[in-house]
Amino acid sequence: MTGEPVWPQLDEAQLADTAIIGLEEDADFNCHGDKTLVMMNGWAEGPVAVVLRGGSNAQSVLEFLQQTGLREIEIYHREEKIPQLEEVFLSTVVARAHHIFENTNVYWRRDSSIYELVKDIGTKYGTLVFGAPLAVSEIRHFYQKIKRIFTGSIIVVRAPLKETEFVEGGEIYKWVRARTFDGGDFSLAGVLHNYKKKRSLKIAVVLPTLNEEETVGRVIQTALEVKNVGLIDEVLLIDSGSADRTVEIARSYPIPVYQHREIRPDLGRYRGKGEAMFKSAFVTDADVIAWVDTDIATITPRFFYGLLGPILAYPEIQFVKGYFIRPIVVEASGMELGGGRVTELLVRPWINAFVPELSGYIQPLAGTVAIHSNLLRAMRIPTHYGVEIAMLLQAVAKSGLWSTCQVNLGEVIHRSKDVLGLSEMSFQILQVLRELQRGKGETEQNNMLRRVFSSGGKFEIGIKRFPTHWREYPDHD
C-alpha cells in the first residue's frame, strides 16, 4: 500500500443516500438503515479489488465504487455449488459491472473460504472491497478476520435496510440480518468468559439422552472441555430410560446423571424429550440453561461457544436457537439430502401461514437451545416432540422477536428417521401448534393417528395414540 489513506470524494447529493463510518469506530451499524452504509478504515492508493457473492449488498458495492469515479474494476468470486446462486451473481454483479465501468475483469475462484482467497490475492492490491455479511452483527468480526490477513485498506458496503427492499416482511429481513450469528463469531473463550463474569451469570448445560451410547461420551468430553475454561458452571445429564450403555458411560465422567422420571416425582411422570427438558430445571439453579443433543457425532467446542455466545454478548437476548448443516443419506438410493424434512413440509408452511414474523428462522425445530431460566419457567412445556416449536413460539410471544436469535453451529450428523417416524413426529407437532393457536384451556383434540395400508388388494388400519401433556412450573401462573 502506498500513500496516506484518504476518504473518497463524494458530492453532497451522493452523500444524501450514503453513510460512511470508520470500521475502527465504536459505531452502531444498524443506525443508518435507510442509507447505503459504507464502513472503511481508509482508502489507499493503488489497485482496487472487489470480492462479491451477489445480491443487494453486491449491487450497493458497485454503485458506491461508481460514485468514487473508479473506472476499472477487478472482481473476485468464489464459485457457488448451487446453480441458482451463480445466476444471482451473473445477473446482479457481472452484467451490472460491465455496464458501469470501462474495464471489468471477473475471476472465478475455488478457494476453500473467502479468507483463503484474501491471503492469496492480498499482496496485489491496496484496497479490498466487500459486500457486508448477511447479519449486521457479523460485520465487525468479519472485518477483524480480514484485517489479520490483509494490511491494506478495507471497505465493507451494506445495502439500505428499507421496508421497500422486499415486497413484504421488511422487519423479518432486518431481524435475519441482525439476529443471525455464526458460531465462529464467538470462538474466543476468554472474551465470552469476561462477558459472563461481568454479568454474573451461572450457566448450566443439560444433555438429554435416550440410547446414545455411541456418541454420549464424546459430547460429555467436549462439554467438560468448555467447562474447564470457565464458560460453563455445570454439566448435567438427564436420561429418559436408556436400554443401552448410555447411563453407564455417562457415570464414568464427573457429572451428575439423573433419570427424569425420578426428578420431582410429586409432579408426576411422562415420557418424551419435552418432559426431560421440563424436569431439568429442577436440578439446577442456573440463570441460563442450554440443552445440547447427545446424538451429535461431530460435536466440537464451537457448539457451546456459539450457543452461549449471543446470550452472553447481548443482554437483550433471552433465547438462542442453534441451526446446522444436516446431511442425511437416503439408503435406498444413496442420495444425499438436507435434513429438516418436517420443517420444510410442515412447520415452515404453517409458520408462514399463521406466524410469518417467525419465517426468518432457518431451523425452527432445532433442539439445541439456550434460554434464561426465568423465561423458561414462564412457559408451558409439552412433553413430546412439539417442545422445540412450543418454546420458540412462547419466547417470541412473551419477550418479543428481537429478544431471540439463531446461530449457525456448523455441520451436524444426526440419526435420521424413516417416513413413518417423521409422520408421528409431525402429528405431535401439529397437536402442539393447534393448542398454542387456540389458547390455554381449549385442550380437547384428537390424539389418535390412523394409518391405512393397502397391499395385494387388502387393507388394514393401524392406530396409535399420542396424548399431549403440558407441563407448567409451580412458581408461575
Side-chain angles (χ1 to χ4, degrees):
M1 181 177 67
T2 61
E4 291 297 322
V6 295
W7 297 110
Q9 299 300 310
L10 302 176
D11 62 38
E12 292 184 2
Q14 293 166 330
L15 284 172
D17 295 320
T18 304
I20 298 179
I21 295 178
L23 274 164
E24 299 288 352
E25 298 175 16
D26 186 17
D28 180 2
F29 295 153
N30 281 300
C31 64
H32 300 285
D34 59 343
K35 294 184 177 183
T36 297
L37 182 60
V38 179
M39 297 148 281
M40 312 174 69
N41 67 344
W43 181 274
E45 294 181 3
V48 176
V50 185
V51 182
L52 298 175
R53 292 188 66 191
S56 60
N57 285 333
Q59 287 181 308
S60 291
V61 169
L62 299 179
E63 292 166 3
F64 168 71
L65 293 176
Q66 181 185 27
Q67 293 171 358
T68 68
L70 193 69
R71 296 184 178 183
E72 298 183 356
I73 187 171
E74 295 193 350
I75 299 172
Y76 288 83
H77 171 71
R78 287 178 59 239
E79 291 185 26
E80 303 284 357
K81 295 181 179 180
I82 303 175
Q84 292 89 333
L85 296 181
E86 286 299 289
E87 293 174 9
V88 170
F89 174 71
L90 290 170
S91 61
T92 61
V93 175
V94 176
R96 182 68 174 153
H98 280 292
H99 176 74
I100 292 176
F101 303 100
E102 294 180 5
N103 294 304
T104 300
N105 291 315
V106 181
Y107 304 97
W108 271 262
R109 302 283 298 227
R110 294 185 178 179
D111 305 82
S112 60
S113 71
I114 191 172
Y115 306 107
E116 291 300 317
L117 189 158
V118 171
K119 286 180 182 179
D120 185 56
I121 69 172
T123 57
K124 303 176 184 178
Y125 300 97
T127 300
L128 291 182
V129 187
F130 304 86
L134 175 65
V136 174
S137 57
E138 296 178 8
I139 292 173
R140 201 176 300 280
H141 175 74
F142 172 76
Y143 164 65
Q144 293 294 343
K145 291 189 73 172
I146 295 295
K147 184 180 177 182
R148 287 197 288 268
I149 57 178
F150 176 65
T151 60
S153 294
I154 300 168
I155 301 175
V156 182
V157 180
R158 190 204 68 192
L161 295 178
K162 294 181 179 179
E163 294 287 339
T164 55
E165 185 178 350
F166 304 94
V167 177
E168 294 181 4
E171 186 67 21
I172 296 169
Y173 290 96
K174 289 182 181 179
W175 177 88
V176 169
R177 287 173 180 256
R179 286 290 188 262
T180 300
F181 301 96
D182 186 87
D185 295 345
F186 307 99
S187 60
L188 300 177
V191 174
L192 292 182
H193 186 265
N194 288 339
Y195 280 127
K196 179 177 180 289
K197 184 177 180 181
K198 182 178 180 180
R199 297 179 57 196
S200 300
L201 291 175
K202 181 178 180 179
I203 296 176
V205 166
V206 178
L207 308 175
T209 57
L210 177 62
N211 298 326
E212 314 291 1
E213 64 179 6
E214 294 184 3
T215 52
V216 66
R218 171 63 179 162
V219 175
I220 295 172
Q221 289 175 12
T222 307
L224 290 175
E225 180 182 336
V226 179
K227 180 177 183 289
N228 289 339
V229 301
L231 190 58
I232 297 170
D233 297 287
E234 297 177 326
V235 178
L236 316 168
L237 188 138
I238 310 289
D239 188 66
S240 296
S242 293
D244 62 3
R245 295 180 58 248
T246 295
V247 173
E248 177 186 344
I249 293 170
R251 285 178 174 158
S252 69
Y253 293 92
I255 65 171
V257 177
Y258 301 91
Q259 291 292 333
H260 80 243
R261 64 179 179 270
E262 297 173 358
I263 300 171
R264 289 297 301 267
D266 57 304
L267 298 177
R269 60 183 68 173
Y270 298 100
R271 299 177 62 186
K273 180 180 179 181
E275 175 77 352
M277 294 175 73
F278 169 77
K279 288 290 187 73
S280 63
F282 293 104
V283 294
T284 179
D285 61 354
D287 304 295
V288 174
I289 301 176
W291 291 274
V292 175
D293 292 336
T294 50
D295 63 344
I296 302 174
T298 52
I299 193 79
T300 68
R302 168 193 169 111
F303 279 75
F304 298 95
Y305 297 149
L307 185 61
L308 297 170
I311 219 165
L312 291 173
Y314 299 87
E316 66 274 20
I317 292 179
Q318 302 287 304
F319 178 85
V320 180
K321 182 177 281 287
Y323 71 93
F324 326 99
I325 301 168
R326 294 183 293 180
I328 62 173
V329 175
V330 181
E331 294 183 357
S333 63
M335 183 180 296
E336 185 173 306
L337 302 171
R341 292 163 288 173
V342 173
T343 292
E344 298 305 329
L345 296 175
L346 171 68
V347 176
R348 196 176 309 286
W350 188 91
I351 284 175
N352 278 274
F354 296 104
V355 282
E357 61 272 23
L358 296 186
S359 59
Y361 264 95
I362 295 170
Q363 289 171 1
L365 296 183
T368 299
V369 298
I371 188 172
H372 276 265
S373 59
N374 57 350
L375 177 58
L376 170 67
R377 289 181 173 275
M379 292 181 175
R380 301 170 63 219
I381 307 296
T383 58
H384 54 44
Y385 280 123
V387 61
E388 285 92 0
I389 190 64
M391 290 179 68
L392 174 59
L393 290 169
Q394 291 178 90
V396 171
K398 293 179 180 298
S399 56
L401 177 63
W402 285 83
S403 73
T404 73
C405 76
Q406 59 187 344
V407 57
N408 178 11
L409 300 178
E411 181 176 289
V412 168
I413 299 177
H414 278 297
R415 290 193 307 248
S416 297
K417 298 180 182 296
D418 59 19
V419 173
L420 294 182
L422 294 175
S423 175
E424 295 178 357
M425 179 181 179
S426 298
F427 182 66
Q428 295 173 63
I429 290 171
L430 272 177
Q431 289 177 302
V432 167
L433 293 175
R434 183 187 182 201
E435 177 160 339
L436 288 174
Q437 190 177 36
R438 295 173 66 184
K440 182 179 178 181
E442 301 182 25
T443 58
E444 182 180 349
Q445 59 180 281
N446 174 59
N447 63 16
M448 187 180 299
L449 178 63
R450 303 171 181 85
R451 290 194 180 97
V452 179
F453 301 92
S454 176
S455 177
K458 300 180 180 180
F459 70 89
E460 63 181 68
I461 298 176
I463 299 175
K464 194 170 183 178
R465 292 185 182 275
F466 294 94
T468 302
H469 304 286
W470 289 84
R471 295 300 226 160
E472 297 184 66
Y473 290 98
D475 51 348
H476 280 79
D477 295 331

